[in-house]
Amino acid sequence: MKIYEYQAKGIFKNYGIPVPEGDVAETPEQAKQIAEKLGGTVVVKAQVHIGGRGKAGGVKLAENPDDAYEKASKIIGMEIKGLEVKRVLITRGVDIQSESYIGIIIDRKSKKPVFMVSKAGGIDIEQVARETPEKIYKFPVDPVYGLFPHQARLLAYKLYDDPKIVKEAQKTIMGLYNAFISIDASLAEINPFVVAKDGKTWAVDAKVVLDDNGLIKHPELEKLRDVTPAEEKEIMAKKMGLSYIRLNGDIGCVVNGAGLAMTTMDVIKHFGGEPANFLDIGGSSNPEKVKNAMNILFSDKHVKGVWFNIFGGITRCDDVAKGMVEALKGMNISLPLVVRLTGTNETEGKEILKASGLSITSADTMSEGAQKIIQLVRGG
Ligand code: GDP
Ligand code: MN
């Protein structure tokens, strides 16, 4: 679960990380009031669940409260990478001397929390990792012992020479580790961590991703959830007993079984297509489930065609076919549909689809199914 910068900063503050003072505004008037209270130069920052706001024009300095009003009215309502800005954070402006990067993630390979620090802060760290990986220093932490102060100091020395600043950075690194562990995060990041012209250090930006599986231990963090339309669908699907994850492609897929669903996405990719989702309707062939699955996919305007890839084991192909026919008859669907039914009662299933008179393209193999739906979606 992603949380907003202002929420992450609220957590960081409790762990002794220096966070510039500020507050959230939903209107330009509120932004002005906060700026008045803070005094001096402030920063107006779009609150969206995505990075790169600075480049997109979602982070702006304001010299006085009226300017804050101006900047806030520009930023509130704008769209950043498809996400609408509903709130801005107004924080005290920092006179920046240098920007570095401090982050910690759960690394699947080493199965450990891994710290990453870099002098190349402020900019897109993924780009640094791609182009100049040597500029990032990585340090795996043994979760049994936790992070020792001398290790935090070593990390700080990778960023700074001045012992006074090192001490400050060490405190932030310890704080970040403690926060990360306590809230069961999968990522916690400060980019940039800033040394100001007066020598003080500040966490100017904050990013936290919480581990969904850890949320059960943190009801207070669950309250920070802000559901986007895409996530709303995922939650709705969960309630219906479907495992659904929205992706960025245009080919919808309806599959029974998680393994087959993964393979289906791989095969679509293999033949040059882009899956619009992961969707596992599970082992049951309950027509209601098939109907719900189709409702979810067809209401997504990115979906340009749907591939049903069903393997009949316990699930019987004729039951799935019945569900499909029942569902499709009540809908007005003009999208191309490809169906691959194989396994238990496949002949019966295919008969049902044929007899229904619905416009469906049939496929016998995985490769055939993928190639057919890609061709249909691409207007072939
Ligand atoms: P992001 O683009 O979404 O990562 O948003 P950030 O919060 O990291 O802001 C982007 C950039 O804006 C930073 O790297 C800074 O260069 C600049 N910025 C943010 N806050 C301040 C500030 O208080 N003072 C100054 N001078 N620049 C800031
Ligand atoms: Mn940033």
Side-chain angles (χ1 to χ4, degrees), residues 90-370:
I90 314 295
T91 70
R92 192 164 271 154
V94 176
D95 211 357
I96 297 179
Q97 189 186 318
S98 72
E99 301 181 276
S100 66
Y101 173 93
I102 301 174
I104 176 166
I105 53 152
I106 293 287
D107 176 45
R108 286 179 172 240
K109 234 187 230 161
S110 57
K111 298 176 185 165
K112 281 179 182 155
V114 172
F115 256 104
M116 290 182 293
V117 299
S118 176
K119 285 182 183 174
I123 44 171
D124 186 358
I125 198 70
E126 280 82 11
Q127 190 187 339
V128 179
R130 254 192 329 269
E131 290 165 11
T132 46
E134 69 281 0
K135 286 190 180 165
I136 301 175
Y137 178 78
K138 293 187 183 179
F139 182 78
V141 181
D142 189 323
V144 175
Y145 297 113
L147 184 72
F148 289 105
H150 71 273
Q151 295 173 320
R153 193 159 58 240
L154 178 139
L155 281 163
Y157 267 114
K158 297 285 174 192
L159 299 175
Y160 306 106
D161 300 321
D162 182 339
K164 246 171 72 192
I165 296 170
V166 165
K167 207 167 178 186
E168 292 291 311
Q170 177 192 8
K171 210 175 113 201
T172 286
I173 289 165
M174 278 315 281
L176 193 65
Y177 182 78
N178 292 333
F180 177 83
I181 294 295
S182 310
I183 62 179
D184 286 296
S186 53
L187 177 149
E189 190 179 272
I190 304 170
N191 188 27
F193 182 69
V194 159
V195 178
K197 297 229 170 89
D198 62 7
K200 287 205 184 97
T201 58
W202 296 102
V204 158
D205 193 6
K207 180 176 173 185
V208 163
V209 180
L210 297 165
D211 182 345
D212 288 328
N213 296 316
L215 280 171
I216 194 165
K217 295 193 268 173
H218 308 285
E220 78 289 356
L221 295 175
E222 180 62 53
K223 290 192 200 116
L224 305 180
R225 187 187 289 278
D226 187 14
V227 182
T228 63
E231 286 164 336
E232 232 163 59
K233 273 193 184 174
E234 291 175 9
I235 292 165
M236 197 172 82
K238 205 171 183 177
K239 284 194 189 135
M240 295 169 175
L242 306 165
S243 307
Y244 167 77
I245 309 279
R246 170 135 149 60
L247 301 167
N248 290 325
D250 53 6
I251 297 175
C253 34
V254 180
V255 189
N256 65 322
L260 187 59
M262 294 296 283
T263 312
T264 302
M265 297 191 303
D266 284 348
V267 176
I268 291 172
K269 278 239 174 209
H270 176 78
F271 286 106
E274 284 294 333
N277 64 280
F278 169 95
L279 175 56
D280 171 15
I281 60 168
S284 135
S285 38
N286 178 347
E288 202 55 36
K289 256 192 184 176
V290 179
K291 214 162 147 178
N292 289 336
M294 289 202 268
N295 268 323
I296 288 173
L297 294 195
F298 293 141
S299 65
D300 180 346
K301 59 180 187 304
H302 296 97
V303 174
K304 300 279 183 286
V306 178
W307 177 22
F308 289 78
N309 191 13
I310 305 294
F311 175 76
I314 297 169
T315 305
R316 288 167 33 189
C317 291
D318 53 335
D319 280 345
V320 174
K322 268 183 219 155
M324 282 180 64
V325 172
E326 205 174 294
L328 286 169
K329 284 226 163 123
M331 296 174 175
N332 194 9
I333 306 298
S334 52
L335 296 179
L337 302 174
V338 170
V339 179
R340 172 183 177 242
L341 288 176
T342 190
T344 312
N345 290 5
E346 71 173 75
T347 323
E348 290 86 339
K350 283 177 183 164
E351 283 300 321
I352 291 168
L353 290 183
K354 216 191 232 167
S356 73
L358 291 166
S359 159
I360 288 170
T361 307
S362 163
D364 288 324
T365 65
M366 291 275 276
S367 336
E368 196 191 329

Side-chain angles (χ1 to χ4, degrees), residues 364-376:
D364 288 324
T365 65
M366 291 275 276
S367 336
E368 196 191 329
Q371 283 168 296
K372 277 189 171 164
I373 191 66
I374 290 168
Q375 199 186 6
L376 287 166

